[in-house]
Amino acid sequence: MSLASDTPALRKARGAFFTPPELSRYVAEWAIRSSDDLVLEPSCGEAVFLLAAGERLRAMRGCAPKPGQLGGVELHEASAAQGEVELRRAGLPASVVAGDFFHFTPRACYDAVIGNPPYVRYQSFTGAARTQSRSAALAQGVRLTRLASSWAAFTVHAALFLRPGGRLGLVLPAELLSVNYASEVRAFLMRRFARVRLVLFEERVFQDVQEEVVLLLAEGEGPTDHCELMQVEDARALERLDVATYSWQPPADGGKWTPALLTTSALEAYRLVESCQSFETLATWGRVTLGAVTGRNDFFALSRERFHELELAESDVLTLSPPGSRHLRAGSFKESDWQRLASSGADTYLFWPWENPSPAARRYIEAGEAMKVHRGYKCQSREPWWRVPLSPMADVFVTYMNAGVMQLATNRAGVRHLNSIHGLVLRDGVQTLGRDLLPLACLNSMTLLGSEIVGRSYGGGMLKVEPREAGLVPVPASTLLQRSPGKALRESRHTVTTLLQRGELQHAIDIVDAIILKDGIELSDGAIAELRDARIVLARRRAARGRAPRRTES
């Protein structure tokens, strides 16, 4: 394949995104400390990091680097050839080998390994490439799940080419900080290196893709128990010499590094509230459960009109919170809310006949079989296929996919729900209090910041909070709501609900902050502001990933 025929779609398929020169220059200047350093750029594309490394070595030596100082590996043959052309044009003696980086046996001889690893999501990262990469990572004790994208194993494999004390400078997806499958990579980095620095960008580095990136700068022989953090606006800001660094100690078990995105003062405020007795996790209130997984919502979720059209009996259906969570943003879901949605055509019934389906339900089941609904993965794994497994009735709903913030809503309508939201089944002793006040109390900046930290932010800007993660969110304790803050929340309920219905979310949060954080646990105004601003910053970062990239004119 020629370089001319290498389309953006093909580059995306193999995870190739070309790096801004400011970034490659910064990494090369950080990584290369001696005029004799040996440098490797794996997955080098058109050798932008090798070009920057060559200029760095030329400046240090006063002449071109020696043959053999610069080496690269590139899967795409046309890009490898073009990389060598660019290096020759720059007067740099370098060798770029075409081949799969995972097929190269590590030789711990390089002083610096730098570059931008390929980013291929797990859905497309399959077959021999996945098997080889996971084997390479496993050789170093790093067990990667099937959900791991290509960069994870690549990072581990690249580190094996460093001599003792060498330096690793890679541009990685911000998934490094937050996704569960990266926990083994995070733990590996802390074991392997003596210093781990993360450079965090407020704006996207690659304007053509939604993915946020971080810059990993790791060196020396580990282990270490802390990271050094830098936050900059964009790649151009790396040239400033006054960018502050601060130390942060991540979880020892490879847990999420999302708190690294907080300022030092915000993290201090978060840890302060987290450790006080008036806050606990949502799991202490009860059990967070998945919603019903139908396997075919368009068959099982019915509107009122469709229910009557099919002539189903009342015993053939259960009342249902419609798919999605937009209708749960006011803190409660009442019978009147359900009736309004049912009248508007929303899917408010779940097809769920018990032991003796009505004749109409039998006809509908036969129609489903004619449409091969029963052959679907979820349907064929249950008996009978048309009875959807149910979780216990939820006392409180918990939103799952969030463009804004994670919210709770009391299930006052007594309806079932699908897996587009979660359910909270309150434990004995707190059911009345939880149904009455917990959704309102959770509209505080500490809880909302906690959901940003424990949840996951992917392309598209959505905050995704799985049931186990929702259980880890810090929320006001029942003992706090039994005191004066509980009374104040009841008195403010109408005002807060009205603000939520008007879309004035931050105003509602400010009212709850004053009750829970200021008066309830006597947190200072400054600390409350840190939590509020940190939550807004994290939300804006993920929202920026969902917006179309800015176009720049040449």
Side-chain angles (χ1 to χ4, degrees), residues 106-113 140 142 155-168 184-196 216 218-225 257:
R107 292 188 303 115
C109 62
Y110 290 93
D111 299 280
V113 177
Q140 297 304 308
V142 178
T155 301
V156 176
H157 196 57
L160 305 184
F161 288 77
L162 289 172
R163 66 163 180 78
R167 296 166 293 281
L168 182 68
E184 290 269 347
V185 180
R186 293 190 289 263
F188 168 78
L189 293 172
M190 302 303 286
R191 287 196 310 269
R192 171 63 178 79
F193 294 100
R195 295 183 69 186
V196 176
L216 169 69
E219 62 181 303
E221 293 296 296
T224 183
D225 64 352
W257 288 4

Side-chain angles (χ1 to χ4, degrees), residues 51 55 58 63-65 85-94:
L51 287 166
E55 293 306 316
R58 196 198 311 269
C63 60
V85 169
E86 297 297 332
L87 289 161
R88 285 197 299 271
R89 285 176 180 169
L92 298 171

